[in-house]
Amino acid sequence: MPSSTSNSDYYFHENRPIPEGNWSATLMLALALFIAGLLAWEYNARVIWGYEPEAYIDNNGLWAIQRSMVDHSDEQSVVIIGASRILFDFDLDTFETATGVRPIQLALAGTNPQPILADLAADQDFKGLLLVGITPGSFFRERGGLSADAPEYYANESPSQWLGQQLSMLIEPHLSFYDQSNWPLFTLIERLELPNREGVFDPRMGVWKIAQSDRDRDTKMFWKVEQQPEYQHHAQMTWRGFMKMGDLRGPAPFDIDTYLAGVVNDVKTIRARGGEVVFIRPPSSGDYRPRENRLQPRETHWDRLLKETDSIGLHFEDHESLQGFRIPEWSHLHSADAPAYTAALIPLIHQQLLAAGKTGLY
């Protein structure tokens, strides 16, 4: 007896006639609505929210492109790692104009640079100058942070990921709304000024757009943070909220002895190949500075880092030329001040290298 589930003679078929209509006109109407919606979305991004074209989305794919340049570098190369402060504050054009070398920018926002330091120490191709930006709360901790997987992404990037990044970069500088970190519909809904129930964390206190990056990850502060008091205040309150949550959680376990031993080993490995490492402490202000003094005291963290690695270190508190710059939201320099800050750093790095018997920048 044939099974009713396997017998091909038994099946159900429904005839669904296609209705009569002017399908050409329908297609043109759908296309017109699509274009109108696209233009409206782009208008909203550029005019209402102030996003600018000619920018690139800073993600692991864009970082991997810059990381690949290390594999073709030489003894004259300069590589920058760190968190967002050295990413925002260091102007690549200024450094290239003064020294003739364009740095490779590998700093990552909200990310501990220690894993990237270890990655470069293990890379036999890197023999140049490494500038390490130190944001105390990001560097002196065990956690990797937001983009701690960037080195792994680079090492295992698939052909489809590489191609997707290349295709995306053809679109990014031309469509402002394409930045998906800021433009999903529910993200915009969260940013509406609506009252919250008591005890509910304000969804508007998330990180809004604060940076704009070029193709080589030369990054500057988003103009709204600099020019609009309410947008600047939002960034400050977001940082303050993160600090408060961190204080409520309490300090995470951190074995500074073991941690620094690993850093020392990485620095020695780079120097053994002919490279050099310089640590840079960018400026901070507002609520950040007293918190850093309390949780990562200079004597037990920064000073110890330089002593144990036997390294050159440039702390903004030690040099008048590295002070007096605008820090709109307490953590990153105003885009117009980044070139001046970088110009002030260059001779200091050069002089310190020469004083240590190393090759200078010029």
Side-chain angles (χ1 to χ4, degrees), residues 49-52 58 83-85 87-89 108-110 146 179 181-182 191 204-213 219-228 230-239 242 288 328-335:
W49 280 89
Y51 285 20
E52 302 170 354
D58 192 16
S84 58
R85 288 181 188 170
L87 178 65
F88 281 58
D89 300 357
L108 287 162
L146 294 178
D179 184 353
S181 63
N182 289 279
R191 296 181 182 182
R204 299 183 76 248
M205 284 297 103
V207 179
W208 291 5
K209 181 178 176 69
I210 62 170
Q212 181 152 309
S213 298
T219 301
K220 295 295 176 287
M221 182 174 286
F222 183 45
W223 69 271
K224 276 193 171 184
V225 187
E226 300 170 344
Q227 299 180 22
Q228 294 189 357
E230 65 276 12
Y231 203 98
Q232 181 183 119
H233 179 71
H234 173 273
Q236 293 171 349
M237 292 304 99
T238 298
W239 305 151
F242 289 167
Y288 265 116
E329 34 68 274
W330 310 333
S331 191
H332 311 94
L333 292 187
H334 191 289
S335 62

Side-chain angles (χ1 to χ4, degrees), residues 163-304:
L163 180 59
Q165 178 64 30
Q166 299 302 314
L167 293 175
S168 181
M169 290 169 62
L170 297 176
I171 302 172
E172 292 169 15
H174 305 294
L175 292 177
S176 296
F177 76 84
Y178 187 68
D179 184 353
Q180 291 300 303
S181 63
N182 289 279
W183 281 105
L185 180 59
F186 286 103
T187 299
L188 296 180
I189 291 175
E190 287 178 350
R191 296 181 182 182
L192 294 175
E193 295 190 33
L194 299 174
N196 295 305
R197 297 189 305 274
E198 184 177 354
V200 174
F201 179 78
D202 188 350
R204 299 183 76 248
M205 284 297 103
V207 179
W208 291 5
K209 181 178 176 69
I210 62 170
Q212 181 152 309
S213 298
D214 289 339
R215 188 184 183 94
D216 63 356
R217 302 190 68 248
D218 191 22
T219 301
K220 295 295 176 287
M221 182 174 286
F222 183 45
W223 69 271
K224 276 193 171 184
V225 187
E226 300 170 344
Q227 299 180 22
Q228 294 189 357
E230 65 276 12
Y231 203 98
Q232 181 183 119
H233 179 71
H234 173 273
Q236 293 171 349
M237 292 304 99
T238 298
W239 305 151
R240 183 173 287 171
F242 289 167
M243 295 178 206
K244 183 177 181 180
M245 287 189 292
D247 289 339
L248 291 174
R249 286 194 303 264
F254 179 57
D255 183 355
I256 191 170
D257 297 327
T258 302
Y259 181 84
L260 286 181
V263 173
V264 169
N265 183 65
D266 293 334
V267 171
K268 287 182 177 179
T269 301
I270 291 173
R271 287 182 179 147
R273 290 199 301 266
E276 186 52 68
V277 179
V278 173
F279 293 97
I280 299 172
R281 171 62 168 93
S284 58
S285 65
D287 286 6
Y288 265 116
R289 194 68 194 104
R291 177 182 171 84
E292 292 162 347
N293 288 336
R294 174 169 56 89
L295 297 181
Q296 297 93 24
R298 175 170 177 166
E299 296 76 13
T300 57
H301 290 69
W302 169 262
D303 292 346
R304 184 176 173 186

